[in-house]
Amino acid sequence: MRAQANTIRQPGLGAAATVYPILFAVSIVHLLNDSMQSAISALFPILEKSLQLSYTQIGFIAFAMNITASLLQPFIGIYADARPKPYILPFGVCFTLAGVVGLSIAPSFVYIVLAVICIGIGSAVFHPESSRVAYLAAGDRRGLAQSIFQVGGNIGSSLGPIMTALIFVPLGQFGVIWFSIAALAAIGIQFYVARWYSGQKVRPRSPVSKQTVERKSGLLSKQQIRLAMAILIALVFSKNVYISSITSFYTFYLIKDYGVSVEQAQMYLFAFLAAAAAGTFLGGPLADRFGRKNIIWLSILGTAPFSILLPYADLFWSGVLCVFGGLVLSSAFSIIVVYAHELLPGKVGLVSGLFFGLAFGLGGLGSALLGMLADVTSIAFIMKLCAYLPLIGLLTIFLPKDKALAGHR
């Protein structure tokens, strides 16, 4: 603990070490948290049949969870910037536990919505504060630290299709109750993280010095910072609405247009999400080496060839294109968060809450709108429409270069 307590950079001292035990701890909790969230979308094919839900209702379930997390996260981040509360971390998982139990026994659409709102509250507490923990434990390897933190979430999300095939198809909706074990494990790990986090309260609340803020303001004007933030938000929109189209509707697309079974469709979705997890892990280290802007550019825009071709491919090549699209696209988000941290030094909670909130909110809103559109058109139309979202990556050209970010390395 003594070594861990001295990891945060102090003005005038040398480079800070990276606290890997804490990074891996928050990554594991991220895995558990997002595996519980992925149980919701994994249940969609089961709920569609058992409760006779429309695509609009399915989209609204995703929307209800994500918009709850989206609206709450920035406020939690702002509050924590001023008054860090380490033990809010295990407390937040208690809401997730309540949501998991409620989801397993929900008898109707309304109760399902209430259960996923509880899960959304748990995520709203978890993401901004855990992202701050990853920032504090990062030392000089911020890209790597965010990738370690976020890859846990991607791995957890990728487990959803496996859960459908192995748990929900044979056991049905009540199979969700098994995830209460994951919630209890997450609560225990969060107490360990909170103890370390509370030991940092005597340190400055941000590892960015006043001199860094002054240097930054001299390099980038307020207008440039606002433009850069707007571009980053547009990129998050592109990424998360496209991913929501895959996670919420790709299985229905495969079932209806290619005639595959529910279990086979879930394996294709698992391949996409597993590739996304790998991309998340690779993105941070690559950005640390080759630059934030370069990898953001490659990640968002580089997905376009795969996404545009996917709706016109046969079953085999659809799977191949989906995997490569997930690998490339998911390398961006951890870098976007780090880039935004450097644009707004000293506001780690606000930035983390804003971008994680946007990721949830845009993904949920996208699911709701795409569900309504699918009811009046078709799933195939949705896949073709969303294929062009990665072209928004062209906006990356207007981001400031890495060397303009004061305090970069």
Side-chain angles (χ1 to χ4, degrees):
M1 283 303 278
R2 181 178 301 173
Q4 292 176 353
N6 292 322
T7 56
I8 300 177
R9 182 192 300 274
Q10 300 293 319
L13 298 183
T18 302
V19 190
Y20 288 103
I22 295 299
L23 289 177
F24 287 125
V26 293
S27 182
I28 291 170
V29 177
H30 204 176
L31 185 155
L32 296 172
N33 180 83
D34 283 27
S35 68
M36 290 181 279
Q37 286 181 212
S38 67
I40 297 169
S41 58
L43 270 176
F44 285 165
I46 308 300
L47 295 175
E48 183 206 20
K49 292 183 178 180
S50 64
L51 298 180
Q52 299 297 306
L53 300 182
S54 67
Y55 291 131
T56 300
Q57 289 175 308
I58 287 171
F60 187 81
I61 292 170
F63 171 77
M65 181 192 70
N66 290 326
I67 200 65
T68 301
S70 175
L71 293 176
L72 290 178
Q73 284 189 67
F75 293 105
I76 292 173
I78 293 169
Y79 179 80
D81 277 336
R83 301 177 184 85
K85 300 291 184 184
Y87 286 94
I88 199 176
L89 290 169
F91 177 74
V93 187
C94 293
F95 281 95
T96 305
L97 175 60
V100 166
V101 174
L103 183 61
S104 69
I105 59 176
S108 66
F109 171 71
V110 172
Y111 286 99
I112 288 172
V113 170
L114 293 175
V116 301
I117 286 174
C118 285
I119 295 174
I121 293 171
S123 290
V125 174
F126 168 78
H127 284 94
E129 278 299 87
S130 293
S131 183
R132 182 199 299 278
V133 169
Y135 187 91
L136 294 175
D140 282 341
R141 309 199 68 183
R142 294 178 187 171
L144 174 63
Q146 279 295 325
S147 288
I148 291 174
F149 168 58
Q150 292 184 32
V151 75
N154 284 89
I155 293 173
S157 296
S158 71
L159 296 177
I162 300 296
M163 290 185 277
T164 298
L166 300 182
I167 299 177
F168 299 143
V169 170
L171 298 181
Q173 179 182 343
F174 188 70
V176 178
I177 196 68
W178 287 101
F179 289 94
S180 60
I181 299 173
L184 292 171
I187 290 171
I189 297 171
Q190 288 291 61
F191 271 107
Y192 163 73
V193 173
R195 282 197 300 269
W196 179 85
Y197 183 10
S198 63
Q200 313 307 312
K201 289 175 68 176
V202 297
R203 307 292 184 181
R205 64 183 179 182
S206 169
V208 181
S209 68
K210 181 179 179 180
Q211 289 81 6
T212 298
V213 178
E214 291 172 350
R215 289 200 308 270
K216 182 176 294 299
S217 64
L219 286 174
L220 296 175
S221 67
K222 290 183 179 180
Q223 183 177 357
Q224 288 175 307
I225 293 174
R226 291 192 191 101
L227 175 61
M229 291 293 290
I231 292 171
L232 294 178
I233 289 170
L235 298 179
V236 170
F237 166 82
S238 168
K239 172 187 178 294
N240 284 280
V241 175
Y242 182 73
I243 286 182
S244 73
S245 75
I246 298 294
T247 56
S248 295
F249 300 108
Y250 185 54
T251 53
F252 293 112
Y253 173 65
L254 293 175
I255 292 167
K256 296 183 183 300
D257 285 62
Y258 294 93
V260 304
S261 67
V262 172
E263 292 88 343
Q264 288 174 315
Q266 293 295 330
M267 291 302 102
Y268 278 85
L269 180 57
F270 169 74
F272 169 80
L273 294 171
T280 298
F281 181 75
L282 293 173
L286 288 173
D288 283 340
R289 180 166 184 176
F290 298 107
R292 318 275 197 244
K293 181 177 178 178
N294 290 336
I295 302 302
I296 292 173
W297 173 276
L298 175 65
S299 176
I300 304 294
L301 188 60
T303 306
F306 305 109
S307 64
I308 292 171
L309 290 173
L310 188 150
Y312 305 98
D314 61 23
L315 180 61
F316 171 79
W317 284 107
S318 174
V320 171
L321 292 167
C322 194
V323 165
F324 278 99
L327 179 69
V328 176
L329 181 60
S330 291
S331 62
F333 188 66
S334 61
I335 314 163
I336 289 173
V337 173
V338 172
Y339 193 101
H341 283 160
E342 294 177 350
L343 277 173
L344 298 174
K347 298 181 180 179
V348 179
L350 171 61
V351 169
S352 299
L354 174 64
F355 278 90
F356 280 104
L358 281 170
F360 277 91
L362 293 172
L365 183 61
S367 293
L369 294 177
L370 292 174
M372 289 188 287
L373 190 58
D375 277 333
V376 299
T377 57
S378 67
I379 293 292
F381 177 78
I382 293 299
M383 301 306 298
K384 292 175 182 177
L385 177 67
C386 293
Y388 294 94
L389 284 170
L391 292 177
I392 293 175
L394 287 167
L395 293 174
T396 308
I397 194 172
F398 298 108
L399 285 176
K401 295 181 179 179
D402 287 10
K403 64 182 179 181
L405 296 176
H408 177 63
R409 297 195 179 184

